[in-house]
Amino acid sequence: MKVIQMGVGHLGTNCYILYCEQTSKAAVIDPGGSAEAIIAEINKAGLKVEYIINTHGHADHIAANDAVKQATGAKVLIHYEDAEMLTSAERNLSIYIGGGMVCQSADRLLSHNDTISIGNIELKVLHTPGHTPGGICLLTDSLVVAGDTLFAGSIGRTDFPGGSYSQLIHSIKENLMPLADDVRVLPGHGPETTIGWERTHNSFIQ
């Protein structure tokens, strides 16, 4: 498995392109803007994008969904509790940061413990509510794409509509902290970290 990381959109969201080296099949996770750059990277690597996966429905994680879907024919996946955020500028918060933005509805709604196959890669869906009701992380053997659930030394905001601090802490402790120390954490913003480092140093989850 290979990972391409890109900073996209006005808020510097981390967009990840995960792909299987044997099949060139790929998933784009959180295309939150900069659609042309994402598409150029896909074409440069010669990838066949099968899925666009949103870790949650905030505007800075979904803004380029439609453009990437149009360019690749990929299916859009999101947890069922955040599905309405794709089609509501109020719920995805874009109405509050200028203009308002909506996307097409999802092609597949996800639930906890679902699996997503990308060539020889299998992603396990971990439902981690707290930042949003339908926030998810995506787990493989060696890494977890954490969206805005867990950051290096921090956690996602819980003061937006649908957020819950106690729920987010529970999500992290229940779903992420049991993972091995060397599992890489690829967050929705900022630098990557590891489960072991966060378990030892993140003051929010001590």
Side-chain angles (χ1 to χ4, degrees):
M1 179 182 66
K2 290 287 189 179
V3 181
I4 299 170
Q5 177 183 340
M6 304 178 65
V8 301
H10 299 299
L11 298 181
T13 300
N14 289 331
C15 171
Y16 299 101
I17 304 171
L18 271 60
Y19 67 94
C20 170
E21 294 178 88
Q22 289 76 34
T23 64
S24 295
K25 293 181 179 179
V28 177
I29 302 172
D30 289 345
S34 310
E36 291 184 0
I38 296 172
I39 294 165
E41 198 66 42
I42 292 166
N43 292 336
K44 177 183 175 183
L47 303 177
K48 176 175 174 49
V49 178
E50 298 193 315
Y51 302 112
I52 296 162
I53 310 172
N54 299 131
T55 61
H56 61 289
H58 284 153
D60 61 320
H61 290 254
I62 67 172
N65 272 16
D66 286 0
V68 176
K69 179 175 183 175
Q70 183 176 5
T72 64
K75 294 181 178 180
V76 174
L77 282 57
I78 194 169
H79 190 274
Y80 70 88
E81 291 195 53
D82 276 12
E84 291 184 8
M85 298 173 78
L86 295 177
T87 57
S88 168
E90 182 174 4
R91 293 199 62 186
N92 67 38
L93 306 183
S94 63
I95 197 170
Y96 303 111
I97 56 177
M101 179 275 304
V102 295
C103 302
Q104 296 180 38
S105 299
D107 298 292
R108 174 182 167 188
L109 300 182
L110 300 170
S111 298
H112 185 64
N113 283 333
D114 280 354
T115 57
I116 305 164
S117 296
I118 307 156
N120 297 322
I121 302 167
E122 187 169 277
L123 299 177
K124 181 179 179 180
V125 176
L126 303 177
H127 183 210
T128 53
H131 180 63
T132 66
I136 61 171
C137 298
L138 299 163
L139 177 66
T140 73
D141 291 338
S142 59
L143 63 83
V144 60
V145 181
D148 286 3
T149 296
L150 180 66
F151 300 133
S154 189
I155 60 172
R157 290 179 62 166
T158 58
D159 56 337
F160 294 130
S164 167
Y165 180 84
S166 61
Q167 196 173 40
L168 185 61
I169 296 301
H170 179 266
S171 292
I172 294 169
K173 290 185 175 181
E174 182 77 11
N175 291 289
L176 300 184
M177 288 303 100
L179 301 177
D181 283 350
D182 60 352
V183 171
R184 296 166 60 197
V185 178
L186 307 184
H189 302 270
E192 76 170 71
T193 181
T194 65
I195 291 295
W197 197 96
E198 298 308 314
R199 183 183 291 112
T200 304
H201 297 93
N202 193 317
S203 61
F204 289 95
I205 52 178
Q206 298 304 311

